[in-house]
């Protein structure tokens, strides 16, 4: 079971990293940097190929997409290597960190392996221990869409962001109760669909694979790249980032548990690599050709972020805006001005950069195509002081605190005051925290101006702050290590040996990991504990392994249904009784797949008639005509009875008024014949309507 999981993970990872790695190696990047930045090319490439295939009528699957991309990447690699006359990898103005371990592995290789290895062990332990099974999935509102979209990708062979739907195939699109659509970011779905079409696993299995690839491989590799570029001249800081990348409850873990927000997870995991690409363009001595090449990679990075979840582009902006202001403020230094005049000019240039960034921010805020996003409202979850305290203790919606990480961030921020070339990162984190706090307590215009790009969602804003906090915490951990080294050297009146300094670093890293993740003592009146990570552990276990709406008995009943009906038979259902997951997770061809309000202008007349009056099919011509039009053959009920009495429904069910035409059907209702019956579960055949084969 788990062997298949990690085999599928390896195949998906190779498919995601491989094409981009070949292209970047051809461009002349070192192996470590090419590996770290490769997903920026791979994510965009898979979505763009899916879009092209949809226009050309080509079926998308792992073989057709990955096969094409590897061939194209190999050709580009060969052409670039020939054009560069087989020159060795260039450094892109990064310093050479030498070699270790007998000259076989470079410092970069060891660090990258450390980042990925720690992440794989840490994330692997959480996934294996708390999921229980790779087939487990969260029975939450958003996951119906996630699982259903993956299933539609697989069934239809259409992987386009402009044709994303739970009714993607031609036959399903014809009976969609809520027709319409437009652009929707589908990068995460494409990666999950690679898992299904390569190994034939279920959609639930595939989404766990996709999440593991992004959390255990893409995020740590990107974090390494960011740290490697940022601390090019201070390499001792780089290894400490490996231990901080996955410690924050706010990201990536709470964003996995809440919603769940898997597409946003994948997008945020790409942000560090995108930021590293941007920083590389400003490395002193980077040639014009290299800058042009990096600019192309950065364009692909922006495309990948937008195609995964557009708010990641604004997250990248929050991270890099202070860096851009700092860079612009340094322009007067090249003018050879001096004294107070130079200081005044730097302030002026910085103010101009800030004004330009503000103008761009407000232009995006007022853009019509973003109106529905920025005007979306989450109600405040706390007052101003409570939201500030949540940010201060690095809780970020995780119902607890991470005092150790909070301390490391404070130390890291103080360290940037001493080493001011990194001070911009402290401003990035402060800005992200400000967005989180305003979203947490405000209910006015500021809420939308600051956090509208994240749907004013405090979980997403908290995830953004946590993401940026990773690098400040790594600085803080390094600063603590340097402080201990200095104390030891002062006490011993001599230099500390390499083994001793390594042992001290390992002890500090262990303290940071345990201090940030150990469940801790439960807080007064709370079951989640003083340490925010306890809610992560609890949520991973209960969220994915406890089936409440679509329980084991109902899943077994659906499997019986699949043996009785033909694969293309259309089954009318009430999605809120759990049957929405019957399509999304078990590929049963149900009619109603969304769990949203159906009484909307774009709902089809057939859908309205069936929801309200299906039970009267024996006596009403319009009902029979509606059923015939969509080709309905069966009715599925997983919770027959009074609403919320015998079995739970999803929260969108309300009092069931929208579904009275289906809920009212019983064994003796004219026009319906019992095919399967068990407890409160029924499968009826509609006998008063003839459906052509």
């Amino acid at each position: 079971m788990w062997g298949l999981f990690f085999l599928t993970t390896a195949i998906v990872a190779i498919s995601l990293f491989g094409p981009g790695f070949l292209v970047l190696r051809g461009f002349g990047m070192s192996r470590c940097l090419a590996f770290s930045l490769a997903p920026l090319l791979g994510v965009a490439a898979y979505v763009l190929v899916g879009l092209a295939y949809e226009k050309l009528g080509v079926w998308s699957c792992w073989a057709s997409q990955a096969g094409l991309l590897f061939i194209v990447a190999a050709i580009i690699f060969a052409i670039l290597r020939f054009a560069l006359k087989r020159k060795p990898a260039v450094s892109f103005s990064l310093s050479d960190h030498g070699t270790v371990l007998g000259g076989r592995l470079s410092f970069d290789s060891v660090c990258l392996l450390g980042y990925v290895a720690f992440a794989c062990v840490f994330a692997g332990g959480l996934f294996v221990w708390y999921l229980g099974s790779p087939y487990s999935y969260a029975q939450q509102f958003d996951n119906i869409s996630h699982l259903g979209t993956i299933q539609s990708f697989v069934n239809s062979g259409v992987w386009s962001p402009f044709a994303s739907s739970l009714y993607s195939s031609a036959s399903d699109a014809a009976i969609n109760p809520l027709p319409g659509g437009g652009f929707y970011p589908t990068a995460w779905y494409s990666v999950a669909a690679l898992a299904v079409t390569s190994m034939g696993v279920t959609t639930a299995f595939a989404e766990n694979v996709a999440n593991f690839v992004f959390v255990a491989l893409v995020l740590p590799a990107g974090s390494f790249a960011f740290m490697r570029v940022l601390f090019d001249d201070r390499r001792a800081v780089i290894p400490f980032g490996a231990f901080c990348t996955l410690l924050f409850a706010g990201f990536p873990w709470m964003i996995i548990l809440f919603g769940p927000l898997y597409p946003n997870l994948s997008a945020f995991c790409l942000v560090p690599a995108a930021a590293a690409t941007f920083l590389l363009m400003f490395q002193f001595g980077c040639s014009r050709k290299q800058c042009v090449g990096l600019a192309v990679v950065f364009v692909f990075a922006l495309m990948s972020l937008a195609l995964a979840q557009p708010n990641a582009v604004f997250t990248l902006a929050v991270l890099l805006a202070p860096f851009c202001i700092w860079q612009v403020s340094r322009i007067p230094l090249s003018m050879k001005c001096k004294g107070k005049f130079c200081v005044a000019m730097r302030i002026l240039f910085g103010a101009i950069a800030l004004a330009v960034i503000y103008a761009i921010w407000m232009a995006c805020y007022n853009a019509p195509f973003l109106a529905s996003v920025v005007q979306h409202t989450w109600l405040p979850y706390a007052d101003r002081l409570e939201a500030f305290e949540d940010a201060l203790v690095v809780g970020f919606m995780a119902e607890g605190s991470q005092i150790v990480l909070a301390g490391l961030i404070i130390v890291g921020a103080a360290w940037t005051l001493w080493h001011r070339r990194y001070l911009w990162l402290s401003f990035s984190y402060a800005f992200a925290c400000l967005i989180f706090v305003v979203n947490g307590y405000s209910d006015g215009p500021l809420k939308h101006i600051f956090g509208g790009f994240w749907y004013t969602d405090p979980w997403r804003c908290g995830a953004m702050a946590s993401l940026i906090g990773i690098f400040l915490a790594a600085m803080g951990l390094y600063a603590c290590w340097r402080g201990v080294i200095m104390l030891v050297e002062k006490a011993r009146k001599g230099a500390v040996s390499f083994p001793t300094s390594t042992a001290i670093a390992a002890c500090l890293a262990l303290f940071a990991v345990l201090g940030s993740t150990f469940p801790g003592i439960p807080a007064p009146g709370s079951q989640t504990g003083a340490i925010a990570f306890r809610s992560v552990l609890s949520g991973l276990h209960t969220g994915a392994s406890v089936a409440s709406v679509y329980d084991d008995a109902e899943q077994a009943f659906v499997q019986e249904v699949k043996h009785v009906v033909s694969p293309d038979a259309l089954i009318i259902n009430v999605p809120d009784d759990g049957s929405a997951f019957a399509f999304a997770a078990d590929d049963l061809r149900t009619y109603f797949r969304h769990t949203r309000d159906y009484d909307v202008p774009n709902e089809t007349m057939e859908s309205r008639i069936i929801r309200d009056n299906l039970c009267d099919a024996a006596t009403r011509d319009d009902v029979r005509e509606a059923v015939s039009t969509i080709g309905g053959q069966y009715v599925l009920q997983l919770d027959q009875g009074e609403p919320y009495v015998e079995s739970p429904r999803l929260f969108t069910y309300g009092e069931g008024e929208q579904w009275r035409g289906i809920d009212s059907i019983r064994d003796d209702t004219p026009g319906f014949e019992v095919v399967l019956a068990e407890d409160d579960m029924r499968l009826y055949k509609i006998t008063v309507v003839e459906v052509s084969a």
Side-chain angles (χ1 to χ4, degrees), residues 129-132 136-140 257 534-548:
W129 184 260
Y130 286 97
L131 284 181
S136 299
Y137 59 92
Q139 292 191 13
Q140 299 182 50
L257 299 177
R534 178 167 180 169
S535 60
V536 171
L537 304 181
S538 175
L540 283 174
H541 178 64
T542 60
S545 62
V546 177
S548 56

Side-chain angles (χ1 to χ4, degrees), residues 550-563 586 638 676 678 681:
Y550 186 49
D551 61 32
D552 293 342
E554 291 170 339
Q555 293 177 48
F557 186 78
V558 166
Q559 294 303 317
E560 289 186 55
V561 171
K562 292 181 68 174
H563 284 97
D586 291 321
L638 294 182
L676 291 174
E678 184 177 342
M681 298 173 286

Side-chain angles (χ1 to χ4, degrees), residues 500-522:
T500 301
S501 64
T502 302
I504 293 172
C507 290
L508 287 173
L510 182 62
F511 170 75
V513 172
L514 294 180
S516 302
T517 61
F518 187 72
I521 301 171

Side-chain angles (χ1 to χ4, degrees), residues 23 166 192 406 570:
V23 171
L166 272 63
L570 183 63

Side-chain angles (χ1 to χ4, degrees), residues 32-56:
C32 293
L33 201 58
F35 177 84
S36 300
L37 304 185
L40 298 177
L41 302 183
V43 166
Y46 278 107
V47 178
L48 294 176
V49 170
L51 175 61
Y53 277 4
E54 188 264 336
K55 298 297 182 183
L56 297 172

Side-chain angles (χ1 to χ4, degrees), residues 129 133 137 156 212 314 539 564:
W129 184 260
S133 165
Y137 59 92
S156 67
F212 188 82
F314 294 96
V564 170

